[in-house]
Amino acid sequence: MDDIPQIQPPLQKRLSEREEECLGWVSRGKSSYDIGRIAGLSPRTVDSYIEKACAKLGVRTRIEAVAIAVRAGIIDPGFD
C-alpha cells in the first residue's frame, strides 16, 4: 500500500464534476460505453474524462485512479 501516492486536499477541487462522475461509475464496474449511456456522453468522451482524472491524480490506469479517489474521499464507491 505504500506505493499508492498520497493525495493532498486541494487535489479534490481539481477534478471536474464529470471526471468525478465517471470515476464513480468506474468504481461501480461500469465500462466507458455504459457510463456514456448513463451520462449522455460518447464512450470516447468518457475515456477523455477518465484520462484527465488519471493525469490529475498522477496515475496511469482507471483502477489506480479509482483507488486514489476513494482513499482521498473524492468519490464514494458505495452501491445505491
Side-chain angles (χ1 to χ4, degrees):
M1 287 216 135
D2 291 332
D3 57 344
I4 297 177
Q6 296 299 315
I7 301 298
Q8 302 300 321
L11 183 58
Q12 295 178 15
K13 294 184 169 96
R14 291 183 22 206
L15 293 182
S16 73
E17 287 183 35
R18 282 292 198 180
E19 291 163 353
E20 289 181 20
E21 177 185 11
C22 289
L23 286 181
W25 285 115
V26 170
S27 76
R28 289 166 172 84
K30 300 297 184 187
S31 68
S32 294
Y33 176 80
D34 295 334
I35 297 167
R37 292 190 51 120
I38 293 165
L41 303 168
S42 74
R44 189 171 182 156
T45 300
V46 171
D47 286 339
S48 177
Y49 282 124
I50 293 170
E51 287 172 16
K52 289 175 186 175
C54 286
K56 290 177 182 180
L57 294 171
V59 297
R60 288 185 288 176
T61 69
R62 62 178 54 205
I63 300 304
E64 290 175 306
V66 167
I68 295 295
V70 168
R71 187 172 181 188
I74 297 170
I75 62 171
D76 177 9
F79 293 93
D80 296 33

